Amino acid sequence: MAITPPTRAPHPLETTSRADDAVVAGPHRRHAARLAAIAFVAPLVVYLVVFYGYPLVQNVAMSLQRYDRATFVSGGAPFVGLDIYREVIGQPKFWRIVGQTATFTLVSITVQYVVGLALAVFFQHNFRLSATLRAMFLVPWLLPVIVSGTTWQWMMNPDNGALNSLVGLFGVDPIWWLNADHALMSVIIANIWLGIPFNLVILYSGLQNIPTTLYEAAAIDGAGPWRQFWSITVPLLRPVSLITLLLGLVYTLKVVDIIWIMTMGTGTSQTLATWSYGMAFGKGASAVIKYSEAAAVGGILLVIALAFGLVYIAVQRKSED
Amino acid sequence: MARSWWKTALALALTAVMLFPIYWMVNVSFTHRESIRKSQLLPLDFTTDHYRVVFSQQLPYLTTSLLVGVGTVVLTLLVAAPAAYGLAKLPVPGGRVLSFVLIVGQMIPAVVMSLGFYAIYNRIGMLDTIPGLILADSTLAVPFAVMLFTAFMRGIPNELIEAAELDGASYWRTFRAVMLPISRNSAITVALFAFLWSWSDFLFASTLDREGGSLRPITMGIYNYIGAQNQEWGPMMATAVVASIPTALLLVLAQKYVAAGVTAGAVKD
Amino acid sequence: MTHLNPRAAAGIGIMVVSGFALAGCSGGPTVAPGESGAASEGTTTAQITFWDPYPQRETGSEWDTLVKSCAPDGSTIVRSSAPQSDLFNQLTTAVKEDNAPDIVLLDNPMMPEASSAGLLATAEQAGIDTAGIDENLLGPGIVDGVAYGVPMGSNALGLYYNKNILDAAGVNPADIKDWASLNTAIEKVVASGKKGITFSGVAGEEGVFQFEPWFWGAGANLSDLGSAEAISAGQLVSDWIGKGWAPRSAATDNQSASWDVFLTGDYGFAENGSWFAADAAALKDFTVGMIPIPAKDSAVAPVPTGGEFAVAPLQSKDASDHYANASSVIACLTTGDKATATSEALGYLSAKADVRAAQVADNALWTPWVSIVEGAQGRTSELGATYVAVSAALSQAEQGALNAAGDASGVEAAFKDASGN
């Protein structure tokens, strides 16, 4: 028995623009509507131009000139076009770092999403304390990252940390979590922990939007919970899932703090973001400031995000058709 | 009945796992410095000294953080809600582009943004001020807020808006009287994220509010415990605990509204 | 299939153009910094800004009160702090935006880079008196023959030990005369059921700071990181990790964290700095002693000079007045009556021999540290501004060695790679 969701009005998170719906009647009204639209959106646009446009241009400009600390202070950095980009991409460690970034990002958002969804579905059942416990899941976000990062670092102490005690219970030898080889895995674990609350909150809100009548109808038709999940929840949650994954991707690509506090981006935990950060501020192993290279890596990250943004729009358009 | 208890127990277990690092933080906050690296499960070398230090030093920073947090929420809502209404329900020229720009804008490294801010603020004399920090922190939340609001507002049935229009309401009136009340729950979600993100911001605070004295947020107050060659983890963890309690309470309260779902209070099925 | 439609391009274009417009409004400083200005030509201003890297020294603390008491008549000092690594960057941005403070305390290995980047006024311009300061301690502040500031005192590295553990293991610290005897001592401690030695091998300058006594003690030179001596220093620390004599967290512990580990009372030895000397003496759980860090074949290895320099950042507007501020405050803190108080408040040994002697006479705690400070070597004395890059390479080599955990080929590869950079 196929269970098809009944046809209904567009889902909240589908992004059809109202401009496409010719609901507004008459040219006069249309013009007024347009003016009103601009008025409502104007503060945002000004805001974006001032606070995002300017730094964006600065960043790009920096990546096209060869800066060092002296020219940063007093100007006069020579324009070198795309040389910096060529140098950055030509470095032997560039592709290794890209790979690590990809692993870090994809594993993080996948696990965060799956766990977040599982928890959201679980919390749908209104058992005792469910609201309070769901709120407690957000507590990790209240902590400054310096605190949570350092706590994870302690828990991952190879000699006497809590994590090794835990795996020891299962008979596994102590792991040197934060050494060069295992660093990536360790920071992924901590990052997943940090990302679950975000996924939980958004997916939960999305789930709340699905009318319970659908589930009741399906149950009457004889569908079990698993079937209900795949035929009702997953399709109807699609728009929310897409936006959660996209935002998750953008935020994860930017992550620096948690990695920095745990390992300073040493070993395999070096991602494009931590690399850029270290070069921009002369932190980590090298105190040499490389403003231009940092801006170039930042530019590369921007391009990656742009690419995924386009993918998102393409996928969205498809789902509207 | 038994079924319900089983779920509660499982939820408690999951929450415990998730919050274990928090437990560790509390554990350390009650431990003497000498025993912190012993990694003991319970604070055997117990002390309340760290909390004493925190209460005597950190309260002004907490107040500032609270002010900045609330300010950020207000500013974010002021900028984002009208814009979202425009994007969701009105024909904005280039609306799709704007949405795209919002996604991409979040990609700009915060570091780059803070340097840009420093230059601007220095020129207009807004360094070391709370309004300046509020403005900067709002950039953490505004794009996300617009996206979230837009998404939820799109789901508001057009019939409601048409009804208001038939009654002769202006766009502003429609926004204030129809959209806002219905969007209450998404507003609370946005407020939650805006508050949390501004609460934990360190980068903007350290760049733009360096010399603010006690007009600095708690993320900087905590750095009093990070000296040149000496860091005091006990007081730092204690500060984090003290800072988390009021906000945790806020969370529990807010969850009720976030949970109620987007269409609660809107159209009856 | 999506294509970048003209509207999208226009939208982004508008943002970019507006951004350029804004960027155009922001120029650099309007008056060229540099040659103009001298302390003698200026008068002190009402508000003096003072930056240091001691955020833990709060308002009302000994140091804070001391600094503020050094305000010239009619002025007040506004003091703010930031962690070491951030301070330098904040100074850079501040000088660029013409918003620099009057006085900054800058970590000594950063001095050549700061001066070559045009961030500092010369000591002469700023009216800073460099007389009476030990040559080795003043060295890092002299770039191309020109002095840029004075050291606020010096800290140094030593080898602390847990007397209770050593007595129980039958180790006499006086017997430690070189690496071999040190390793024997550690082995005895481990055999008695305790752990060996803590140190900080964290990535960055802090880890390099702690590694340099072993590096120089082996006879290695910073200009050649791939030498056999350099590799032997790396092998030393790598073996400690491999044998479990040192905690594996050494690769991520900074000096404070390494001290925390020593405080647990499980370790026999700790390589750490003189800033912990007072705390060590006050410990209740066990007694702490200190010996100089041994070299490979002798009892005392050269340690890097520690501590910060008081400098006057380069100013463009009203430069002379700013320099007058700097001159007055720095003179107050480093010469005359308050010189000893400054050193004591910071927990450093004074950079001037006579003041140091007075410190030692007052407080016997400092006696064993004097010879270490006098034998300290500047990190930037030979390499100047290129030190920063060399330190980065050395840090990577050390991290590689620590991760290798005793594996000789791994250690050798780490150092050979670093020297190739």
Side-chain angles (χ1 to χ4, degrees), chain B:
Chain B
M1 233 2 227
R3 207 147 189 250
S4 176
W5 275 111
W6 162 77
K7 287 184 198 160
T8 307
L10 180 58
L12 277 169
L14 289 171
T15 315
V17 169
M18 182 73 182
L19 296 188
F20 184 74
I22 315 266
Y23 167 72
W24 202 260
M25 189 184 86
V26 175
N27 182 3
V28 168
S29 72
F30 283 112
T31 310
H32 269 123
R33 180 174 183 162
E34 292 87 38
S35 303
I36 288 181
R37 291 299 290 262
K38 285 191 191 154
S39 199
Q40 293 159 330
L41 212 50
L42 287 171
L44 295 174
D45 193 358
F46 191 84
T47 175
T48 52
D49 287 347
H50 304 317
Y51 283 93
R52 231 170 285 152
V53 166
V54 168
F55 279 114
S56 65
Q57 293 177 353
Q58 296 289 345
L59 293 181
Y61 302 121
L62 277 173
T63 326
T64 308
S65 270
L66 214 66
L67 269 171
V68 172
V70 170
T72 307
V73 167
V74 170
L75 181 61
T76 305
L77 291 175
L78 279 177
V79 174
Y85 172 51
L87 281 171
K89 293 296 181 189
L90 301 176
V92 176
R96 258 226 170 82
V97 171
L98 197 55
S99 304
F100 183 71
V101 165
L102 283 171
I103 297 175
V104 169
Q106 293 183 80
M107 225 9 250
I108 299 179
V111 151
V112 174
M113 292 191 65
S114 70
L115 287 180
F117 274 110
Y118 185 85
I120 298 176
Y121 278 21
N122 189 29
R123 253 155 262 277
I124 62 181
M126 254 184 119
L127 281 178
D128 306 328
T129 60
I130 290 191
L133 197 53
I134 291 177
L135 204 56
D137 282 351
S138 67
T139 62
L140 298 169
V142 164
F144 172 75
V146 175
M147 287 175 79
L148 202 73
F149 264 133
T150 312
F152 284 126
M153 280 186 182
R154 283 220 167 89
I156 295 177
N158 292 340
E159 293 87 48
L160 287 173
I161 300 175
E162 277 150 30
E165 282 170 9
L166 282 175
D167 280 347
S170 69
Y171 288 109
W172 179 249
R173 191 92 199 284
T174 315
F175 174 62
R176 240 192 45 209
V178 178
M179 303 295 289
L180 279 185
I182 298 178
S183 309
R184 189 192 61 180
N185 291 321
S186 27
I188 293 184
T189 313
V190 162
L192 197 73
F193 280 106
F195 186 82
L196 288 178
W197 282 337
S198 115
W199 185 264
S200 53
D201 159 70
F202 172 74
L203 186 61
F204 285 129
S206 67
T207 317
L208 306 171
D209 197 8
R210 209 185 163 282
E211 277 152 24
S214 53
L215 287 186
R216 290 177 302 159
I218 191 73
T219 44
M220 291 197 75
I222 244 180
Y223 268 76
N224 284 353
Y225 304 124
I226 301 200
Q229 296 102 353
N230 189 23
Q231 292 93 43
E232 304 260 3
W233 294 111
M236 185 179 286
M237 296 293 150
T239 311
V241 170
V242 169
S244 308
I245 294 176
T247 36
L249 288 173
L250 215 86
L251 266 183
V252 175
L253 287 171
Q255 267 294 323
K256 227 176 15 144
Y257 293 95
V258 176
V262 154
T263 52
V267 181
K268 290 210 240 325
D269 285 60

Side-chain angles (χ1 to χ4, degrees), chain C residues 165-224:
Chain C
I165 292 183
L166 258 55
D167 286 345
V171 173
N172 184 353
D175 290 339
I176 298 177
K177 297 271 185 260
D178 56 20
W179 284 8
S181 45
L182 174 62
N183 279 330
T184 318
I186 298 179
E187 199 169 359
K188 274 195 191 164
V189 166
V190 172
S192 78
K194 291 293 181 179
K195 304 194 199 148
I197 178 169
T198 74
F199 64 96
S200 161
V202 69
E205 186 61 32
E206 234 185 316
V208 171
F209 181 68
Q210 286 232 334
F211 185 60
E212 271 156 349
W214 310 110
F215 187 81
W216 287 332
N221 197 311
L222 284 173
S223 42
D224 182 10

Side-chain angles (χ1 to χ4, degrees), chain C residues 243-325:
Chain C
K243 293 184 194 158
W245 290 357
R248 284 179 287 181
S249 60
T252 46
D253 281 338
N254 60 16
Q255 293 177 102
S256 177
S258 162
W259 185 249
D260 286 340
V261 176
F262 181 65
L263 287 179
T264 61
D266 292 334
Y267 283 82
F269 292 94
E271 177 195 358
N272 226 309
S274 54
W275 52 86
F276 284 128
D279 286 347
L283 271 182
K284 302 264 189 323
D285 294 341
F286 52 88
T287 321
V288 177
M290 196 275 298
I291 54 170
I293 298 173
K296 192 169 190 187
D297 299 311
S298 69
V300 182
V303 302
T305 54
E308 293 80 33
F309 269 71
V311 294
L314 211 53
Q315 307 273 359
S316 29
K317 284 195 309 255
D318 302 322
S320 298
D321 289 344
H322 286 294
Y323 297 152
N325 288 340

Side-chain angles (χ1 to χ4, degrees), chain C residues 7-93:
Chain C
R7 273 204 165 156
I12 296 180
I14 289 176
M15 237 178 62
V16 169
V17 169
S18 327
F20 264 119
L22 277 170
C25 295
S26 77
T30 44
V31 178
E35 278 84 63
S36 66
S40 49
E41 293 164 21
T43 45
T44 56
T45 59
Q47 214 185 44
I48 301 179
T49 38
F50 184 97
W51 285 9
D52 67 33
Y54 316 127
Q56 78 278 25
R57 301 192 194 275
E58 301 245 315
T59 318
S61 63
E62 196 186 334
W63 169 246
D64 185 74
T65 328
L66 182 62
V67 168
K68 293 189 174 153
S69 75
C70 267
D73 288 330
S75 311
T76 47
I77 293 186
V78 175
R79 175 186 161 253
S80 61
S81 314
Q84 202 87 277
S85 48
D86 293 336
L87 193 65
F88 194 18
N89 290 319
Q90 289 172 353
L91 178 65
T92 308
T93 315

